Amino acid sequence: MAALPILCYPDPRLHTVAKPVVAVNDAVRRLVADMAQTMYEAPGIGLAATQVNVHQQVIVIDLSDERDQLQVFINPEIIWSSEEKKVWQEGCLSVPDFFDEVLRPSEVKVRALNLEGKPFEIHADGLLAVCIQHEMDHLKGKVFVEYLSSLKRMRIAGKLKKKTKAGAL
């Protein structure tokens, strides 16, 4: 396993749409292991392959305090979402040190493949539902700041560019 570099907003590669995984093989399992290590070291609770410049539909999530309940979603798709929406405070490993409120469906049902390539479905609410939707946005080339006003996005991009030039990121 190896920690991978995380792309930082406004890097244009974050807007690349991920392609479906053709076969769940050892290379995909290695990617999942590397992504999990990267997420844990960051530290974060979710990571999409797009954020590490791999444009395949792979997501890792772990909401546990002990960091021992890794969930893997390969080729995830939302097959149902609630009409009820909820505002959550979101952050992102690709947008370090910035948090803002995003309105999302409060519940989702997701179909995906596991590490053995077997399909499964999960009904998620609360933080898990938010995290799945946030990471799936990455696979579509969307970063959470795109839900914010253009003024906020410009400010965040400017501050992150300055930090990058100063070597702080």
Side-chain angles (χ1 to χ4, degrees):
M1 291 190 304
L4 304 168
I6 298 172
L7 299 178
C8 192
Y9 182 81
D11 191 310
R13 294 173 290 179
L14 287 168
H15 299 294
T16 305
V17 176
K19 293 182 176 17
V21 170
V22 176
V24 180
N25 54 27
D26 287 343
V28 171
R29 287 186 274 278
R30 213 171 11 261
L31 171 63
V32 166
D34 290 347
M35 286 175 60
Q37 181 177 347
T38 303
M39 175 185 70
Y40 291 137
E41 286 182 11
I45 59 172
L47 187 69
T50 302
Q51 293 176 269
V52 294
N53 201 29
V54 176
H55 304 287
Q56 295 183 40
Q57 294 180 7
V58 179
I59 293 170
V60 296
I61 295 173
D62 190 338
L63 303 180
S64 68
D65 291 334
E66 298 79 23
R67 316 299 277 151
D68 62 355
Q69 295 176 28
L70 183 68
Q71 297 180 70
V72 178
F73 300 84
I74 299 168
N75 297 342
E77 60 177 313
I78 294 175
I79 56 176
W80 174 84
S81 59
S82 64
E83 288 184 26
E84 179 187 348
K85 299 196 184 304
K86 186 166 183 180
V87 173
W88 285 84
Q89 183 85 1
E90 293 188 28
C92 182
L93 294 176
S94 292
V95 191
D97 304 324
F98 289 93
F99 301 87
D100 214 313
E101 294 181 339
V102 177
L103 180 69
R104 297 188 185 272
S106 58
E107 298 177 60
V108 293
K109 188 172 186 181
V110 178
R111 180 182 300 133
L113 300 176
N114 65 18
L115 279 175
E116 288 77 46
K118 304 249 188 283
F120 71 95
E121 291 182 5
I122 185 172
H123 180 270
D125 61 5
L127 183 57
L128 180 58
V130 171
C131 197
I132 289 169
Q133 293 173 81
H134 176 107
E135 300 309 334
M136 285 184 68
D137 275 353
H138 280 298
L139 300 181
K140 297 172 192 161
K142 187 171 185 174
V143 182
F144 92 96
V145 296
E146 291 171 48
Y147 289 97
L148 308 178
S149 71
S150 58
L151 178 60
K152 279 187 180 181
R153 278 196 314 274
M154 287 185 341
R155 284 183 179 162
I156 290 169
K159 288 178 182 179
L160 289 174
K161 283 179 184 175
K162 283 181 186 174
K163 283 184 176 184
T164 300
K165 283 182 184 174
L169 290 179

